Amino acid sequence: ERLREQARSEGRKTPRLTVLKGIEVDMLEKGGLDLPDEVLAQGDWIVASLHYGQNQARKQITARIIEAVENPHVQVIGHPTGRLINRRPPYDVDMEAVIEAAARTGTFLEINANPMRLDLDDVHAAAAKRAGVKVVISTDAHSTRGLELMRCGVVQARRAGLEAADVANTLPLARLEKLMHASPLRSGA
């Protein structure tokens, strides 16, 4: 319902700011996402994240993430390994396969800038760059106070050898939108 409300809202574009309609969706334990494609199709920016079933076998977790990567409405995979530094190790996921799928589909991978996550780590972010996968840096902020964490994500990206051109949300809007729709998966989405 929130996505529909955003879609109806006025003032999506102002002279200096474009607001993308978006939502974070959960990857379900049995596979699939927690919102149907017809709802996701109404959004501009869909982030899919794995929050449940983190102790599943490597093959199952990897398949769930790749399924989300291959969804034509998903632009970003959020905190791809699920780690919480000093609290929870990353889940057992084949990041090489995830990065390969992201390269094939044009799906972005997130560097979550929260210092408790920094997920993607620098090794996986560097691997994403080598594979031609764009990353996005996000703060995971739930209020404006959390926006200051962006610098932690920038440092993580620099540690991985990323430059501004490797980070999708540093690009001009027209280029970002072109990348968001460049995949054959999304051309008809």
Side-chain angles (χ1 to χ4, degrees):
E1 188 56 36
R2 287 185 308 184
L3 198 58
R4 285 189 187 105
E5 189 175 311
Q6 285 179 356
R8 289 189 297 266
S9 70
E10 296 294 324
R12 184 170 177 266
K13 289 193 177 201
T14 65
R16 297 184 54 206
L17 179 69
T18 298
V19 177
L20 299 177
K21 301 176 306 242
I23 193 165
E24 181 179 25
V25 295
D26 288 324
M27 297 176 205
L28 300 174
E29 289 184 65
K30 64 182 183 303
L33 301 173
D34 69 340
L35 289 175
D37 282 350
E38 57 269 12
V39 173
L40 298 179
Q42 297 174 41
D44 300 314
W45 188 256
I46 308 299
V47 179
S49 301
L50 194 148
H51 294 115
Y52 308 102
Q54 297 170 350
N55 293 320
Q56 291 176 330
R58 177 182 183 91
K59 184 175 180 180
Q60 190 171 5
I61 286 180
T62 302
R64 288 169 60 198
I65 294 173
I66 290 175
E67 180 183 20
V69 166
E70 292 174 343
N71 183 296
H73 304 292
V74 171
Q75 282 79 33
V76 183
I77 300 300
H79 45 78
T81 73
R83 79 176 182 170
L84 291 173
I85 297 172
N86 295 324
R87 289 184 44 210
R88 180 179 68 211
Y91 23 80
D92 191 9
V93 58
D94 182 348
M95 281 305 298
E96 186 176 308
V98 170
I99 290 168
E100 181 181 298
R104 186 177 73 256
T105 61
T107 304
F108 308 137
L109 299 177
E110 177 192 52
I111 293 179
N112 185 306
N114 186 306
M116 295 300 295
R117 284 196 184 272
L118 295 176
D119 179 14
L120 291 172
D121 66 19
D122 56 334
V123 173
H124 291 132
K129 176 181 177 158
R130 285 191 304 274
V133 174
K134 298 281 190 220
V135 303
V136 297
I137 302 173
S138 69
T139 61
D140 204 10
H142 295 260
S143 73
T144 55
R145 289 182 306 222
L147 295 176
E148 67 189 33
L149 299 177
M150 184 60 82
R151 65 185 166 78
C152 298
V154 171
V155 169
Q156 182 78 329
R158 287 180 177 162
R159 186 179 301 120
L162 274 60
E163 300 173 12
D166 303 312
V167 180
N169 54 330
T170 66
L171 302 173
L173 179 62
R175 179 120 185 266
L176 174 63
E177 288 179 327
K178 184 177 179 181
L179 281 174
M180 288 168 52
H181 302 289
S183 168
L185 291 177
R186 292 181 190 87
S187 61

